[in-house]
Amino acid sequence: MSKVLHCSHMTSTPQLTKSLSSIILSKPHLRHFHSSPLCIKSHFFCSSPIPITPLIPHSPDISTTFPRTFSARAFDDSSPPNETLQEGEKKDPNAEGKPGHAEEYPSGELEYKEFGALKKLGVKLRMLVALPWNRVRKGSVLTMKLRGQISDQLKSRFSSGLSLPQICDNFTKAAYDPRISGIYLHIESLSCGWGKVEEIRRHLLNFKKSGKFIVGYLPTCQEKEYYLACACQEIYAPPSAYFSLYGLTVQASFLGGVLENVGVEPQIQRIGKYKSAGDQLMRKTMSEENCEMLTAILDNIYGNWLDKVSSTLGKKREEVENFINEGVFQVDRLKEEGYITNICYDDEVMSMLKEKLGVQKDKKLPMVDYKKYSRVGKWTVGLSGGKDLVAVIRASGSISRVKGPLSTPSSGVIGEQIIEKIRSVRESGKYKAAIIRIDSPGGDALASD
């Protein structure tokens, strides 16, 4: 039994909560829930989905990017279905493989090109005249702690938290920087969506093409964290690490019964059967369309997770799925089955890195952290230059038309501001193209239009 839908009617307070429904879609196995004697449970066999992560509002931003390829199917590596030809049509045998063909998809992989001898010499000369904040000790290890929220916006040097573009830029710079010998990555509980996790993982795989090492350390780990960690060459965890590889889940609550009991009738206009934003207030149970939609998302993400993890570890997909179905949380089992390299503490990993780099035991390991390395310019490592620039317009948060009286600079996507940024890029002569990245739950329909 790999998929199950739980519909619980909770009765902790008889008048209000007896009609509150909580739907849990899970994959890959049945989860057990304990309830009070008053709790009524009804089970329906169904398919399943993903965790929903909150969005942090931020203001739009513009940055430039170096050449890279993007994936149209971030979580689907399966071959596209063959086209159905209408009667009388003939398939062009030369069409396959051509850009723009219906069966041609970007792979999502980034392209690493090693610098030539002349380019390497130019980079070394740039480093000799680099400003103090662009200087890094030769043989340094880039250290980074991935945990919590990850914003899609660029962060200033005084801002706290992690920034997705800066994380990815750091990995790209480190791949070309001759002063960086490898990456030591601490991966803890992440509060971001799968799209961001996938993008970080692609940059890790691109860094590995440079021939430098990546070592991962996992104090706590669920599916997202392990998905990133398996892109590293070595994975270590402490003896008391928290591992919970149980599968993926999405939970939805419905307040229709609660509002009915207190005499409140929500008035919501619904457009399209798959528009489920108002279901929480209107319905008592999940609609078939919403269940179908969430199931498709979960099946896609979980299938991709199994494919990528199994191929990285050199295991069969069925073997990984069976291992996850057991609900493994013991670190010893993970080592025995080859899911982690070894069990050791952080200081022991640091000692191994010293030995790897030939650093004496009584000396400190040369390291540069995420914050400091974010200040290193692309020019210093030879990644800037060229006439053709691509503008990246980043917009995060709820969408509104105008800036309110109490709005802050990071108060979501303001229609007027984003229009001005798009217009300035369009009218500028230095940008050849633009990419608009939107990380938003939605908002004002007129502003979006």
Side-chain angles (χ1 to χ4, degrees):
M1 187 182 300
S2 63
K3 304 172 185 177
V4 112
L5 172 93
H6 288 265
C7 176
S8 303
H9 300 276
M10 294 173 285
T11 59
S12 55
T13 54
Q15 292 300 320
L16 294 181
T17 61
K18 66 180 180 181
S19 297
L20 173 63
S21 300
S22 180
I23 308 296
I24 299 176
L25 293 167
S26 62
K27 187 176 182 94
H29 63 287
L30 174 63
R31 300 169 185 247
H32 301 282
F33 297 88
H34 300 282
S35 61
S36 64
L38 296 176
C39 179
I40 302 173
K41 288 189 179 180
S42 53
H43 303 282
F44 305 93
F45 290 101
C46 184
S47 326
S48 0
I50 57 174
I52 299 174
T53 52
L55 296 169
I56 300 179
H58 284 285
S59 58
D61 186 23
I62 291 183
S63 61
T64 55
T65 181
F66 15 89
R68 56 185 73 176
T69 55
F70 295 88
S71 173
R73 303 176 303 160
F75 300 106
D76 191 359
D77 284 345
S78 59
S79 300
N82 294 330
E83 294 179 356
T84 303
L85 299 179
Q86 299 295 330
E87 187 177 353
E89 289 184 350
K90 292 184 179 180
K91 187 174 181 179
D92 183 3
N94 299 320
E96 293 187 9
K98 290 184 179 180
H101 185 257
E103 295 187 357
E104 188 73 16
Y105 292 96
S107 66
E109 293 185 4
L110 305 179
E111 186 177 2
Y112 174 82
K113 292 184 178 180
E114 189 174 354
F115 289 159
L118 187 61
K119 182 77 170 180
K120 289 181 179 179
L121 178 61
V123 170
K124 291 181 179 179
L125 292 175
R126 292 181 182 188
M127 290 178 178
L128 290 175
V129 298
L131 296 171
W133 53 83
N134 284 320
R135 294 178 183 175
V136 176
R137 184 178 171 183
K138 187 175 181 180
S140 293
V141 176
L142 174 61
T143 61
M144 194 178 299
K145 293 184 178 181
L146 295 179
R147 63 186 174 197
Q149 298 280 357
I150 298 179
S151 169
D152 200 61
Q153 295 292 315
L154 292 168
K155 297 272 189 178
S156 68
R157 56 180 296 189
F158 303 107
S159 301
S160 60
L162 296 170
S163 165
L164 178 65
Q166 288 170 336
I167 290 172
C168 297
D169 283 353
N170 279 356
F171 289 150
T172 305
K173 290 185 294 185
Y176 291 94
D177 195 335
R179 304 167 297 181
I180 299 296
S181 55
I183 293 176
Y184 181 34
L185 202 62
H186 274 241
I187 307 174
E188 300 183 33
S189 298
L190 295 169
S191 301
C192 63
W194 282 94
K196 293 177 181 177
V197 172
E198 180 73 22
E199 186 163 354
I200 293 172
R201 190 177 189 274
R202 291 207 308 270
H203 280 81
L204 285 174
L205 295 175
N206 182 60
F207 177 86
K208 288 173 69 174
K209 297 175 185 177
S210 67
K212 302 175 182 180
F213 68 82
I214 307 178
V215 173
Y217 187 72
L218 288 172
T220 62
C221 180
Q222 292 183 325
E223 283 73 22
K224 287 181 183 178
E225 292 76 23
Y226 191 78
Y227 187 67
L228 284 179
C230 69
C232 301
Q233 293 160 331
E234 300 175 19
I235 307 173
Y236 298 96
S240 55
Y242 293 106
F243 271 79
S244 53
L245 300 176
Y246 303 141
L248 304 178
T249 299
V250 66
Q251 180 171 338
S253 299
F254 300 93
L255 305 174
V258 175
L259 298 178
E260 182 180 309
N261 288 337
V262 298
V264 176
E265 181 183 357
Q267 295 182 351
I268 299 172
Q269 184 176 4
R270 186 188 185 98
I271 303 176
K273 58 184 180 180
Y274 290 98
K275 288 288 186 179
S276 58
D279 285 3
Q280 183 179 19
L281 299 177
M282 293 177 58
R283 297 184 60 89
K284 299 178 183 179
T285 59
M286 183 180 291
S287 67
E288 293 183 4
E289 293 80 12
N290 194 16
C291 181
E292 176 191 351
M293 176 178 62
L294 294 177
T295 296
I297 295 173
L298 182 62
D299 286 345
N300 188 264
I301 292 179
Y302 184 63
N304 174 77
W305 191 92
L306 288 173
D307 290 338
K308 295 288 180 66
V309 171
S310 59
S311 62
T312 302
L313 298 177
K315 298 177 180 290
K316 295 181 180 179
R317 175 187 168 121
E318 294 76 15
E319 184 181 353
V320 175
E321 187 169 18
N322 292 335
F323 188 75
I324 295 299
N325 285 345
E326 296 176 17
V328 177
F329 59 90
Q330 295 177 338
V331 183
D332 293 338
R333 282 282 317 276
L334 292 163
K335 180 187 175 183
E336 291 171 7
E337 299 290 339
Y339 286 85
I340 62 175
T341 306
N342 205 352
I343 301 172
C344 52
Y345 290 101
D346 178 51
D347 60 321
E348 295 175 304
V349 179
M350 300 282 279
S351 298
M352 285 187 285
L353 291 178
K354 285 184 181 181
E355 187 176 348
K356 183 189 290 284
L357 297 176
V359 178
Q360 297 180 6
K361 292 184 178 180
D362 57 339
K363 299 291 184 181
K364 286 186 176 182
L365 181 70
M367 296 185 298
V368 55
D369 62 15
Y370 161 82
K371 278 270 188 185
K372 182 177 180 180
Y373 200 67
S374 295
R375 299 172 61 191
V376 174
K378 298 171 190 174
W379 179 87
T380 307
V381 296
L383 290 174
S384 64
K387 297 180 180 179
D388 295 340
L389 296 179
V390 175
V392 180
I393 303 175
R394 304 177 184 273
S396 296
S398 298
I399 302 171
S400 57
R401 289 190 301 114
V402 296
K403 191 173 182 179
L406 301 178
S407 299
T408 62
S410 59
S411 57
V413 183
I414 311 299
E416 292 180 344
Q417 294 179 351
I418 204 79
I419 288 170
E420 287 301 320
K421 290 184 180 295
I422 295 173
R423 182 178 291 130
S424 65
V425 170
R426 185 191 68 202
E427 295 175 351
S428 173
K430 63 180 181 179
Y431 296 114
K432 301 299 182 182
I435 296 170
I436 303 177
R437 294 180 58 110
I438 303 173
D439 185 6
S440 171
D444 191 300
L446 178 58
S448 302
D449 184 51

